[in-house]
Amino acid sequence: MSLPARPRRLLIPLLAAVSGILVPAPAWSQSSERIVYASVLDRSGRPVTDLAARDFTVRENNIEREVLRVSPATEPFDIAVLVDTSQEAESFIADFRRGLREFFQAMANRQEIALIGFGERPTVLVDYTRDTGRLEAGIGRIFAQTGSGAYLMEGIIETSRAFRTRASLRRAVVVITSESQEFSNRDSREVLDELRQSGVVLEAFVVAGNTVVSRAVEAGATGQDLTARASIADQASRERTIAVTEGPRLTGGRREDLVTSMVLGTRLRDLADELSNQYRLIYARPAALIPPTSIEVRSTRPELRVRATRIPPK
């Protein structure tokens, strides 16, 4: 039996309205959860450990995202320590050893740590382990290699790339270096690209010292010889400086320039305290065809400073 024309006309818009309710929303309107890790410091540089979701803001491509949950980060942390073992770091080696001993003791069997020297070529002194005894033995293998140069850029790239095969969600490269001449045939773009791909936080501690050119002057270099050395040294120094300055800024780490290697132990203890007190932020990201290219994590409390990556999680 067919319906009269008028009831049929009334039924059509009603069915359309009902079907509109039942049809799922388009994929682009849905959201997914993303995770970002952050350290929060007070004015004295000490970690703040009592914050909640309301104390954070997250912006991607300068668009605010909803912070859903915040908790202490408990996931395992893989940390690769790259230490300068080139000849030019010889006068700092004893302080490097003392500082690393304090750092390893502060981490106290809680994280997987590797120790890598980058004099001559990057060399694994201790593979990833939580065993402080093995790390202590590795400290004993830190020596300045006679006649060697520094391959820091190579070390950062190789170590970051190796992280791709590891399952850890939190990962860091800690660089301890003098201002030794760089011998890697790499530029800063390669280093920064690898950091973006691997999701590594770069922490750099640079002990001040004479530049390559000033040492050449002290050694009596003049004329064309000095000009050639200056050109090579300046280019290598420029690329290295960009890498160890922009790398921490991009990944949420730090670069600290130390006027003396004697303070390294204190700085590394501060780093251990900070890494041990990170937050795990879960926020909502609307689905989109084009992924975001930047992220900024801040605290709603202006007196607090947040360290977090500027690379959006995938």
Side-chain angles (χ1 to χ4, degrees):
M1 183 180 68
S2 61
L3 293 173
R6 180 173 176 80
R8 243 193 341 261
R9 288 196 300 271
L10 293 176
L11 185 60
I12 291 173
L14 177 61
L15 291 173
V18 172
S19 64
I21 295 173
L22 297 178
V23 172
W28 55 262
S29 68
Q30 299 173 359
S31 293
S32 57
E33 294 184 355
R34 291 293 185 271
I35 300 172
V36 64
Y37 298 95
S39 300
V40 183
L41 308 176
D42 62 19
R43 287 196 174 103
S44 66
R46 305 304 302 169
V48 179
T49 59
D50 60 350
L51 301 181
R54 64 179 178 276
D55 298 309
F56 291 93
T57 62
V58 174
R59 300 180 71 85
E60 290 185 320
N61 289 0
N62 208 30
I63 299 172
E64 188 161 353
R65 304 302 192 201
E66 181 185 5
V67 179
L68 303 174
R69 299 182 295 281
V70 170
S71 61
T74 57
E75 294 87 341
F77 216 139
D78 284 358
I79 302 171
V81 178
L82 302 185
V83 59
D84 192 346
T85 52
S86 67
Q87 180 173 308
E88 293 184 43
E90 185 172 10
S91 61
F92 305 128
I93 293 297
D95 289 330
F96 287 175
R97 290 176 178 170
R98 280 191 288 268
L100 284 170
R101 187 169 289 111
E102 294 186 41
F103 180 64
F104 295 156
Q105 289 172 352
M107 300 310 289
N109 298 313
R110 289 174 292 168
Q111 317 298 347
E112 294 277 336
I113 301 176
L115 182 60
I116 301 164
F118 58 87
E120 193 56 43
R121 302 294 296 177
T123 303
V124 177
L125 303 177
V126 182
D127 207 349
Y128 289 95
T129 181
R130 298 187 182 195
D131 187 338
T132 52
R134 288 184 60 195
L135 292 169
E136 178 66 30
I139 290 174
R141 292 194 286 271
I142 296 174
F143 293 97
Q145 300 185 42
T146 302
S148 68
Y151 284 79
L152 173 58
M153 308 278 272
E154 197 78 39
I156 295 174
I157 290 173
E158 289 184 6
T159 305
S160 299
R161 188 168 294 157
F163 270 118
R164 298 189 195 179
T165 64
R166 298 185 63 82
S168 58
L169 295 176
R170 293 197 293 165
R171 46 188 68 174
V173 171
V174 179
V175 169
I176 300 169
T177 184
S178 63
E179 291 184 323
S180 51
Q181 184 176 358
E182 180 66 34
F183 282 78
S184 295
N185 186 24
R186 301 284 194 165
D187 62 36
S188 56
R189 288 174 298 178
E190 293 178 88
V191 173
L192 297 178
D193 285 346
E194 191 56 51
L195 291 173
R196 286 189 185 94
Q197 293 297 320
S198 58
V200 171
V201 176
L202 182 63
E203 310 277 359
F205 298 87
V206 183
V207 181
N210 294 331
T211 65
V212 174
V213 176
S214 65
R215 284 192 294 274
V217 173
E218 292 171 1
T222 58
Q224 290 184 335
D225 180 47
L226 180 57
T227 302
R229 290 194 196 189
S231 176
I232 295 171
D234 285 352
Q235 180 61 32
S237 175
R238 184 179 302 112
E239 294 299 324
R240 178 169 164 153
T241 297
I242 293 172
V244 298
T245 301
E246 290 300 305
R249 184 194 66 82
L250 178 71
T251 63
R254 75 183 78 193
R255 170 183 170 146
E256 290 200 26
D257 294 284
L258 311 180
V259 295
T260 172
S261 57
M262 295 176 65
V263 302
L264 178 63
T266 300
R267 298 296 187 269
L268 288 176
R269 286 198 307 273
D270 291 342
L271 174 62
D273 195 20
E274 182 179 322
L275 295 181
S276 299
N277 289 284
Q278 284 192 321
Y279 288 94
R280 182 178 190 261
L281 281 73
I282 299 178
Y283 66 95
R285 174 192 291 170
L289 295 177
I290 302 176
T293 58
S294 67
I295 183 172
E296 184 177 36
V297 182
R298 289 188 175 184
S299 174
T300 56
R301 294 166 55 179
E303 76 276 12
L304 301 182
R305 179 162 50 99
V306 177
R307 281 201 181 106
T309 184
R310 298 171 68 91
I311 305 170
K314 297 177 181 179

